Amino acid sequence: MSYPENYRYAKSHEWLEVDGKTGIIGITDYAQSSLGDIVFVELPKVGDKLDAGSPFGSVESVKAVSELYSPAAGTVTEINEALNDEPETINTDANETWIIKLSLTGDESDDLLSAADYEKFVAEETGH
Amino acid sequence: MMTTETPSALRRTALHATHHAHKARMVDFGGWDMPVQYRGLIEEHMAVRTAVGLFDVSHMGDIQLRGPNSLAAVQKLLMNDASKLQTGQAHYSAMLYPNGTFVDDVVLHKLGDNDYLIVINAGTREKDVQWVRQVIGGMSGVHVNDFSDYYTQLAIQGPKAEATLQKLTGVDLSTIKNYWFTWGQVCGCHNVMIARTGYTGEDGFEIYIPSDEPTSARVWGEVLAAGEEFGIIPCGLGARNTLRLESAMALYGHEISDTINVFEANLGRYCKLDKDTDFVGREALLEVQNSGGPSRKLVGLEMVDRGIGRDGYPVATLDGTKIGEITSGSPAPFLKKNIALAYVPVAYTEPGTELAVEIRGQLVKAQVVPTPFYKRPKPAAPKL
């Protein structure tokens, strides 16, 4: 498992990369690994307004459905439509496979974690 | 470093350590700590459809009925007609409650005259054993034994299952027909029951070996080594579930339960109302049959629009009226479609009927399709 240092992480297992006013969101390596083979990604629409912590779609593996929650508030400016045809790229590289991009409006979930703290959080959650 | 062992009430098969060594992801399945996947569900599913896969199914239970009245006992207990079985033959059957719903579905093996083995589900083991004792408790001349813990049961499944297992036994496997079995030496173990059965919709074998850890681990390893040239991989319960769903085989607690009767579940062909012995559930089922059949039935659904119908999701008409529920639903890795089994009123069971599945508040279009969703190709006829 790897967690880039420049991302921050939600306890619901999304990562957030901030680039100026743009927020880039994906799911963590741990999330893709626990879901297993990802076969379906439900994306929001460009223009959807999200609050920090609000649901914006879902990722489905053969076995399970996982809701996606936005780590930050903003308006959806781009969705990764390639995931409609190749959702498994999230399994291949969760850290480099973004799901949505937001034009940030400032609010963030107040419990976003650093890479090191997220790694500890996952370790506690899985009991290893 | 200090480690604290979490006390676990989950039961383990003799291959528990082996699964951990394979880095399997484990889950609680009916009270058992079982591998749900090793390398990946889709890869495991495809291995069984195209080559061969190995499953630990030791959590399944085994009840033996012996004695001069064992056939009478089996006939009273199970819905299929056991008098039709020859020694070395098995068939699908079920134990029913008096109202015609399911205690469990089983595979009955005729080991010999006056000697039967009933293979039962893991999650229902205790209930099943109690039920057997209750139903035939008053009969003389029959001896009931729960041999569940004595066997490690391995399923070797897929088009290359025979070629794999053949390397490990002197028994000519090509002579064992589907749903027949024999005994022989496998990996040096004597008197191993070798059955051409499975729960994947594919050709394959289930072998019953001694349940001690060293033997179980050794045979597991030898099967994997024998199948290596064919691309064998260990497969978990995740793939087992998608494989049986593609083949539209029932799973207890989903398609069959104590609230669903035999005709609703489309299992009437395994239920012999006219066999010459009465059996538990028969009277209620005759009544269902004589009153025009069940009002709802199990159907296959294929998602038409994007979306995955899953266990428990509501099934509705296109205008949103709820008419039923999905019992098992999943992406089908080999068919590459999203499929489901669901109970709906008989008026909606015709293939081609358009229905909707409610997925997180949205109606997503689906259609009734014939089952099984997947049928394995018949082996090519030998060239003359």
Side-chain angles (χ1 to χ4, degrees):
Chain A
M1 304 283 162
S2 78
Y3 307 107
E5 299 274 335
N6 57 324
Y7 293 2
R8 279 171 306 139
Y9 298 86
K11 288 183 176 172
S12 48
H13 308 292
E14 295 84 8
W15 53 256
L16 171 69
E17 181 187 11
V18 176
D19 180 12
K21 284 276 173 199
T22 302
I24 305 164
I25 293 164
I27 66 166
T28 66
D29 205 8
Y30 167 74
Q32 71 75 20
S33 158
S34 27
L35 276 166
D37 295 318
I38 291 169
V39 293
F40 188 75
V41 182
E42 195 185 353
L43 298 163
K45 291 188 190 66
V46 170
D48 283 0
K49 292 190 191 334
L50 304 177
D51 293 328
S54 69
F56 69 84
S58 60
V59 174
E60 301 197 37
S61 66
V62 180
K63 283 229 60 96
V65 186
S66 183
E67 290 270 354
L68 297 167
Y69 299 93
S70 182
T75 305
V76 178
T77 54
E78 276 185 76
I79 55 175
N80 189 351
E81 292 187 59
L83 294 176
N84 287 331
D85 295 324
E86 291 182 322
E88 66 276 10
T89 50
I90 296 178
N91 291 121
T92 319
D93 193 347
N95 291 324
E96 291 301 319
T97 308
W98 61 277
I99 298 173
I100 58 170
K101 292 186 183 179
L102 295 180
S103 163
L104 296 171
T105 49
D107 277 355
E108 284 184 359
S109 300
D110 44 22
D111 55 353
L112 294 185
L113 305 171
S114 68
D117 286 344
Y118 177 73
E119 198 163 2
K120 266 183 232 156
F121 169 73
V122 166
E124 279 163 25
E125 208 175 49
T126 54
H128 293 301
Chain B
M1 209 168 79
M2 289 265 298
T3 55
T4 42
E5 192 86 335
T6 324
S8 166
L10 292 180
R11 287 196 268 184
R12 298 170 166 192
T13 73
L15 289 163
H16 191 264
T18 303
H19 300 321
H20 274 278
H22 282 298
K23 298 199 187 331
R25 178 167 304 145
M26 308 296 283
V27 289
D28 175 357
F29 181 81
W32 289 77
D33 193 25
M34 295 298 289
V36 64
Q37 67 166 49
Y38 300 83
R39 273 157 48 178
L41 196 160
I42 294 176
E43 187 183 351
E44 293 164 24
H45 183 114
M46 294 305 285
V48 172
R49 285 277 178 262
T50 62
V52 54
L54 173 63
F55 302 77
D56 175 16
V57 290
S58 308
H59 57 317
M60 304 287 287
D62 313 274
I63 303 172
Q64 191 176 19
L65 300 187
R66 300 167 67 193
N69 275 334
S70 56
L71 175 60
V74 164
Q75 289 288 61
K76 182 179 175 191
L77 185 69
L78 300 171
M79 68 180 191
N80 208 334
D81 187 356
S83 72
K84 298 281 195 281
L85 286 179
Q86 297 175 43
T87 293
Q89 194 180 12
H91 66 200
Y92 182 78
S93 192
M95 297 193 269
L96 305 177
Y97 289 112
N99 66 359
T101 66
F102 291 87
V103 179
D104 197 8
D105 63 343
V106 307
V107 176
L108 176 69
H109 300 72
K110 182 173 180 178
L111 304 178
D113 288 334
N114 306 318
D115 198 353
Y116 293 87
L117 184 73
I118 307 173
V119 176
I120 59 173
N121 281 304
T124 50
R125 250 163 74 161
E126 277 64 37
K127 179 187 83 171
D128 287 6
V129 173
Q130 265 182 16
W131 180 255
V132 171
R133 292 192 191 283
Q134 187 183 324
V135 170
I136 64 173
M139 293 177 75
S140 61
V142 54
H143 187 62
V144 180
N145 261 308
D146 178 3
F147 281 120
S148 304
D149 294 331
Y150 291 78
Y151 298 114
T152 283
Q153 185 181 340
L154 301 183
I156 301 129
Q157 301 280 303
K160 293 291 180 191
E162 183 182 311
T164 298
L165 189 58
Q166 192 61 76
K167 292 165 73 178
L168 304 171
T169 180
V171 174
D172 180 359
L173 297 177
S174 70
T175 62
I176 306 176
K177 288 180 283 189
N178 197 31
Y179 269 76
W180 286 71
F181 63 92
T182 188
W183 292 268
Q185 195 169 323
V186 176
C187 298
C189 303
H190 295 288
N191 304 313
V192 172
M193 190 167 118
I194 308 166
R196 198 158 203 149
T197 52
Y199 190 52
T200 59
E202 217 55 61
D203 185 26
F205 294 86
E206 292 178 295
I207 59 173
Y208 298 72
I209 59 173
S211 64
D212 65 281
E213 272 191 50
T215 304
S216 302
R218 179 175 63 78
V219 174
W220 173 272
E222 288 186 30
V223 174
L224 285 181
E228 199 180 350
E229 61 174 303
F230 309 114
I232 197 171
I233 50 173
C235 301
L237 296 184
R240 187 167 154 87
N241 184 54
T242 50
L243 287 158
R244 70 92 196 166
L245 178 59
E246 277 186 345
S247 313
M249 297 164 105
L251 173 62
Y252 192 86
H254 293 250
E255 288 70 41
I256 58 176
S257 74
D258 58 6
T259 61
I260 296 164
N261 76 42
V262 172
F263 296 129
E264 292 173 323
N266 279 327
L267 293 171
R269 63 192 180 282
Y270 302 105
C271 178
K272 306 298 183 208
L273 293 173
D274 54 358
K275 70 178 177 182
D276 57 14
T277 338
D278 194 18
F279 61 93
V280 182
R282 179 171 172 272
E283 213 168 304
L285 291 173
L286 276 172
E287 212 164 289
V288 174
Q289 196 182 48
N290 294 336
S291 63
S295 58
R296 58 170 184 173
K297 272 194 159 182
L298 191 68
V299 291
L301 294 180
E302 189 181 307
M303 300 305 298
V304 175
D305 289 339
R306 277 170 59 84
I308 301 165
R310 294 186 182 271
D311 307 16
Y313 286 12
V315 176
T317 56
L318 292 180
D319 65 10
T321 311
K322 197 197 152 183
I323 55 165
E325 196 172 274
I326 288 178
T327 50
S328 300
S330 167
F334 183 79
L335 299 172
K336 298 191 171 49
K337 290 171 179 167
N338 297 321
I339 58 170
L341 292 169
Y343 279 100
V344 296
V346 285
Y348 299 96
T349 52
E350 200 56 41
T353 305
E354 289 200 328
L355 294 173
V357 176
E358 193 187 315
I359 301 177
R360 293 181 288 284
Q362 306 278 337
L363 291 178
V364 180
K365 208 188 274 182
Q367 102 177 324
V368 176
V369 295
T371 52
F373 306 98
Y374 167 84
K375 213 168 177 173
R376 73 169 178 261
K378 287 221 158 50
K383 287 201 175 105
L384 298 173

